[in-house]
Amino acid sequence: AQSVSQHNHHVILSEAASLELGCNYSYGGTVNLFWYVQYPGQHLQLLLKYFSGDPLVKGIKGFEAEFIKSKFSFNLRKPSVQWSDTAEYFCAFFPNTGNQFYFGTGTSLTVIP
Amino acid sequence: AAGVIQSPRHLIKEKRETATLKCYPIPRHDTVYWYQQGPGQDPQFLISFYEKMQSDKGSIPDRFSAQQFSDYHSELNMSSLELGDSALYFCASSSWTSGGPYEQYFGPGTRLTVT
């Protein structure tokens, strides 16, 4: 069955620390991969996406993610987090032959000033 | 730029009551998706519509129904509400001619509380 696994449920970092959030998906076919961010009280916003090509993709606000096909992973990274990055982060995939998103359970990131 | 609009933003209902949630997609978007996000959970796909026809169905309970109207707005009707229906319901819209289903824009959600 299709699923997304996010390894960390809660992450607490100090400002300027580096961030890496793990994401693994389970699906036998070709997928399109996404990271969404949900700031407190707000809607989901797209951070970055991967469809094909260079497995290292850059998104908004200094975020990047690397697709490693052999590991079915799409980890999110940021070299230096800011207090404003405090939010919930969701990894998701959309199968090439499917009609819906599959979301992970989310990672809550708290950045301490 | 115009975004996805949902109304109401907050709704409180009692058990066994009915609720209607509305979603207004971005202009010229032809597809609407509904998701349910329980407390501390990931968004779960409920149902989607393309050009006013149901295009896909996810984990939507039989007590729920939805439709898309001629102006492309969509309504999610929920009957015989249960405590477990308390969640954030948000919709997303996309355009098949521009980005397709991968370019979904999400609304702010309706927070439904069932007491």
Side-chain angles (χ1 to χ4, degrees):
Chain A
Q2 301 92 328
S3 68
V4 179
S5 174
Q6 291 185 238
H7 314 303
N8 316 96
H9 293 295
H10 299 280
V11 174
I12 301 174
L13 295 172
S14 298
E15 272 193 320
S18 63
L19 170 73
E20 179 158 5
L21 302 183
C23 172
N24 287 90
Y25 67 93
S26 175
Y27 185 72
T30 304
V31 298
N32 305 284
L33 295 156
F34 305 79
W35 274 97
Y36 282 90
V37 61
Q38 189 174 31
Y39 297 104
Q42 295 190 26
H43 59 283
L44 287 171
Q45 299 175 45
L46 180 66
L47 266 183
L48 48 78
K49 60 190 177 188
Y50 171 80
F51 290 172
S52 64
D54 188 344
L56 183 63
V57 291
K58 295 189 183 300
I60 61 172
K61 305 186 181 186
F63 287 91
E64 65 178 32
E66 183 176 14
F67 170 52
I68 302 179
K69 189 174 181 179
S70 61
K71 296 184 178 180
F72 296 88
S73 70
F74 191 55
N75 292 354
L76 181 71
R77 298 195 290 252
K78 185 171 184 178
S80 177
V81 294
Q82 301 173 314
W83 173 78
S84 57
D85 293 326
T86 295
E88 190 89 14
Y89 292 81
F90 291 93
C91 180
F93 77 87
F94 198 114
N96 255 16
T97 56
N99 287 313
Q100 60 173 286
F101 273 101
Y102 294 88
F103 286 90
T105 52
T107 296
S108 174
L109 172 65
T110 301
V111 180
I112 302 170
Chain B
V4 177
I5 297 171
Q6 290 187 246
S7 68
R9 293 294 307 278
H10 300 273
L11 189 59
I12 300 175
K13 290 285 186 178
E14 295 186 356
K15 281 195 304 184
R16 293 180 287 280
E17 285 192 320
T18 61
T20 298
L21 310 184
K22 297 183 179 182
C23 170
Y24 298 86
I26 290 173
R28 290 180 294 282
H29 278 194
D30 47 31
T31 308
V32 170
Y33 312 78
W34 284 97
Y35 295 85
Q36 176 192 56
Q37 186 179 16
Q41 297 181 14
D42 56 301
Q44 293 288 320
F45 170 72
L46 293 178
I47 195 167
S48 62
F49 292 86
Y50 168 68
E51 284 291 346
K52 293 151 278 184
M53 298 289 289
Q54 180 182 310
S55 59
D56 200 24
K57 199 171 182 180
S59 51
I60 184 169
D62 292 340
R63 299 177 289 106
F64 294 6
S65 65
Q67 58 182 323
Q68 186 180 29
F69 294 84
S70 58
D71 63 352
Y72 294 98
H73 94 274
S74 178
E75 295 184 4
L76 178 66
N77 298 292
M78 311 159 70
S79 62
S80 302
L81 287 170
E82 301 173 357
L83 295 178
D85 296 329
S86 295
L88 178 66
Y89 292 84
F90 54 91
C91 74
S93 73
S94 69
S95 166
W96 272 102
T97 58
S98 175
Y102 313 134
E103 300 277 352
Q104 292 186 24
Y105 294 82
F106 291 86
T110 294
R111 175 76 62 187
L112 172 67
T113 303
V114 181
T115 62

